[in-house]
Amino acid sequence: MPVASYLQDLLQDGPAYNLSSLSSFAHFYFCAGKESLRHKMPSLLSSIWSISKAAVTYAHTAHFYSGSSTYGGSPPVCSNPGLSCQNTTPVQDTCCFNYPGGQLLQTQFWDTNPPTGPVDSWTIHGLWPDHCDGTYDANCDASREYTNISSIISAAGQRDLLNYMNMYWKDYQGNDESFWEHEWGKHGTCISTLRPSCYTNYVPQEEVVDFFQKTVDLFKTLNSYQFLSAAGIVPSSTNTYTAAAINAALKAPRGVSVAIQCDSSALNEIWYFFNVRGSVQTGTFVATDPDGSKSDCPATGIKYLPKTGGSTPPPSSPSGKGTLPITVSGVQKGCVISGGTWYTTGTCASFTATAAGSGFTLTSSKGKCAVLNNVLTCASTVSTATVFTLVDGHVAYNGNPTWYANGVPSGTTQATISATTLSTSLTIDFVAS
C-alpha cells in the first residue's frame, strides 16, 4: 500500500489499536534511515510523531463513549448502591453514592434575546448537584477548574460530543467555551463520584469528559420543546400560558414535577430533578420531584416567546464535511467509517455531503458511497453514488431512515450496514464538522 494511503487510513479510521500503529510507523521511518521519505514529507511525519507520543499515553485506555462506558480509566464498581437523598444514615463510599450533592438537576435554557440554538429546541444549561434540601455547594476544587474544555474533549476523541455541544450547549453572549468552563468549575467539581480518586487507572481530566457526556445524554432524553408542544404550548408572540398548564405538560411524560423559571414573565428555564443510584458515570438516574427549589414564574400570563433569528435545524440536504454517528435504541454507539462499515471503538471518518437532486451524495476517503446489494459501501469501485435524503434528521435510503446490522460490533470488529431487515436496527445522522 502507498505510504500516503496507509497514513490516511490510520489517521481517519483508526480504532484504538491504530494509535499504536501510528507510533510504530513514525518510529520506523524516523529511526530506520528512510532519508528519502523524511525529506519528502517532513511536516507530515512530524505530525505523525507528535500523535504517536500521545498514543503512548492513551492507546491502552482510549474507548469510544457508549452507554455506561467511560474514556480512560474505570469508574467505581458499585455493588448494590443506594439511591441518593434516600439514606437515613451517613454513607461512607461517596464514589458510589452522590453526597452531599445527592439530587442532580439537568437544567435547560430558552434564550430568545439573543436567540441561541435551534429554533425548535431548548438548550443545555448544566448538570447541578444540589443537597437534598435545595441548597448546594459550588466551586469545590480550584485545582480542577480547567480552562480548556474543548481541548480536553477533543483529546479524548469525543468529536461527536463536542459537535453536539456546539449546537445545543450555547452561551447567549457567544462564548460557549467560557460557559462550559463555568459549569464544570462551579458544579462539576462538586459531584463526589467524579473525584479522580474514584477512578481505577485514572487518566487526568477524564472526569470532565464524563460530566459533559452524562449531561448531554440526559438532555437528549428531555425534549422540552416536544413535551410542551404535545400539550399545545408553542412559542408565540401573542399567546400566554398558565404555570399550571406548563407544569402539567412537563410532568406528563415523567410523572414528577419540575421547576420553571421566568424572566419578565417570559419562560426561559426548566429544571429537571433526579436522584442517582450509584455513580453519575454509570449509575441509574431516577426522576424525582424538586428538592426544595421553587419555580419563580407567575401563575398566569406567562409568555413563551419564539426564537426569532435563532439558528435553524439541520437542512434537508446537508453539504460539506461531517461525520456519520450511529444511534441504537436512543444511545449513540460509534459511527460509520470510510469503507461504509460500522465501528464502535474507532475514530469517526470524515464524509463529504454534496447536494444532488432532492437529496445528497456521500463521499469518503475510500470513494463514493452507495447501497450495493442492500449494503452501504464506500469504495473507489463505486461508479454511481446513491442519493440519500434526511428523514426526521436521519440519513435515509429510499425514504427510510432505519438501517440494520447483525448486532452491535465490539472491539475491532466492523459490522456491515444493511438496508434490509436484520437483528439490530439503527439510525445514521450527519453531523457537520
Side-chain angles (χ1 to χ4, degrees):
M1 177 184 291
V3 169
S5 298
Y6 178 68
L7 290 177
Q8 185 177 44
D9 285 348
L10 285 178
L11 284 168
Q12 189 167 70
D13 280 350
Y17 67 79
N18 274 348
L19 292 173
S20 59
S21 298
L22 280 169
S23 179
S24 299
F25 177 89
H27 186 271
F28 176 80
Y29 278 102
F30 272 95
C31 300
K34 301 296 183 182
E35 293 296 332
S36 61
L37 180 60
R38 292 168 63 187
H39 287 302
K40 290 178 181 178
M41 298 193 297
S43 61
L44 174 59
L45 287 176
S46 177
S47 298
I48 296 301
W49 182 246
S50 298
I51 294 171
S52 73
K53 290 190 291 183
V56 172
T57 302
Y58 292 108
H60 71 290
T61 55
H63 301 284
F64 197 103
Y65 191 98
S66 177
S68 61
S69 300
T70 57
Y71 159 77
S74 300
V77 176
C78 303
S79 177
N80 193 28
L83 184 64
S84 62
C85 291
Q86 303 302 305
N87 58 307
T88 56
T89 58
V91 175
Q92 298 301 318
D93 185 3
T94 54
C95 287
C96 287
F97 187 86
N98 289 281
Y99 180 84
Q103 186 157 104
L104 278 293
L105 283 65
Q106 201 289 292
T107 53
Q108 300 183 11
F109 273 137
W110 182 260
D111 289 321
T112 61
N113 187 26
T116 62
V119 296
D120 60 349
S121 176
W122 287 60
T123 56
I124 301 171
H125 187 167
L127 183 65
W128 305 345
D130 273 16
H131 297 174
C132 302
D133 59 3
T135 60
Y136 61 92
D137 297 320
N139 301 95
C140 296
D141 188 349
S143 69
R144 293 191 296 135
E145 291 187 5
Y146 305 120
T147 57
N148 57 335
I149 301 301
S150 292
S151 297
I152 292 171
I153 294 174
S154 295
Q158 303 306 310
R159 294 187 301 173
D160 291 333
L161 171 60
L162 191 59
N163 287 341
Y164 193 91
M165 290 168 59
N166 281 326
M167 175 66 75
Y168 292 100
W169 201 327
K170 306 297 294 179
D171 175 54
Y172 78 100
Q173 294 178 314
N175 193 339
D176 297 345
E177 182 73 26
S178 178
F179 182 30
W180 301 339
E181 292 167 0
H182 166 81
E183 289 301 306
W184 164 252
K186 181 175 180 179
H187 302 291
T189 60
C190 295
I191 297 176
S192 68
T193 63
L194 289 177
R195 296 194 312 272
S197 60
C198 292
Y199 289 82
T200 302
N201 298 323
Y202 172 71
V203 174
Q205 304 175 340
E206 67 177 289
E207 77 277 21
V208 177
V209 182
D210 286 342
F211 171 78
F212 286 98
Q213 183 70 67
K214 179 56 65 174
T215 306
V216 164
D217 288 346
L218 281 176
F219 174 77
K220 288 180 177 179
T221 70
L222 300 168
N223 191 331
S224 299
Y225 189 91
Q226 186 176 35
F227 294 164
L228 294 169
S229 295
I233 300 172
V234 295
S236 172
S237 298
T238 56
N239 294 340
T240 61
Y241 305 95
T242 65
I246 294 171
N247 279 310
L250 296 171
K251 181 176 181 179
R254 301 171 67 245
V256 292
S257 298
V258 302
I260 59 174
Q261 307 296 316
C262 290
D263 182 11
S264 300
S265 296
L267 182 65
N268 74 334
E269 278 200 75
I270 299 172
W271 298 352
Y272 294 95
F273 297 77
F274 297 87
N275 293 334
V276 183
R277 189 179 302 280
S279 69
V280 161
Q281 299 94 309
T282 63
T284 301
F285 279 66
V286 179
T288 188
D289 288 309
D291 56 8
S293 301
K294 303 298 182 183
S295 300
D296 70 357
C297 294
T300 61
I302 298 174
K303 295 172 285 187
Y304 182 22
L305 298 173
K307 290 186 181 183
T308 305
S311 60
T312 59
S316 56
S317 293
S319 62
K321 292 187 178 297
T323 57
L324 299 175
I326 288 177
T327 301
V328 179
S329 299
V331 178
Q332 184 179 320
K333 292 184 179 292
C335 53
V336 182
I337 59 174
S338 60
T341 52
W342 174 19
Y343 255 137
T344 57
T345 57
T347 301
C348 296
S350 178
F351 290 81
T352 300
T354 304
S358 59
F360 59 96
T361 60
L362 291 170
T363 305
S364 75
S365 63
K366 302 291 188 185
K368 298 174 182 177
C369 299
V371 177
L372 303 177
N373 297 319
N374 290 315
V375 172
L376 180 61
T377 304
C378 302
S380 59
T381 55
V382 174
S383 58
T384 303
T386 295
V387 176
F388 301 97
T389 57
L390 286 187
V391 174
D392 296 329
H394 307 305
V395 176
Y397 171 62
N398 286 341
N400 185 359
T402 303
W403 299 82
Y404 301 92
N406 281 318
V408 178
S410 62
T412 59
T413 301
Q414 299 179 37
T416 298
I417 300 172
S418 175
T420 57
T421 303
L422 296 173
S423 61
T424 300
S425 61
L426 56 102
T427 56
I428 302 173
D429 295 334
F430 182 89
V431 178
S433 57

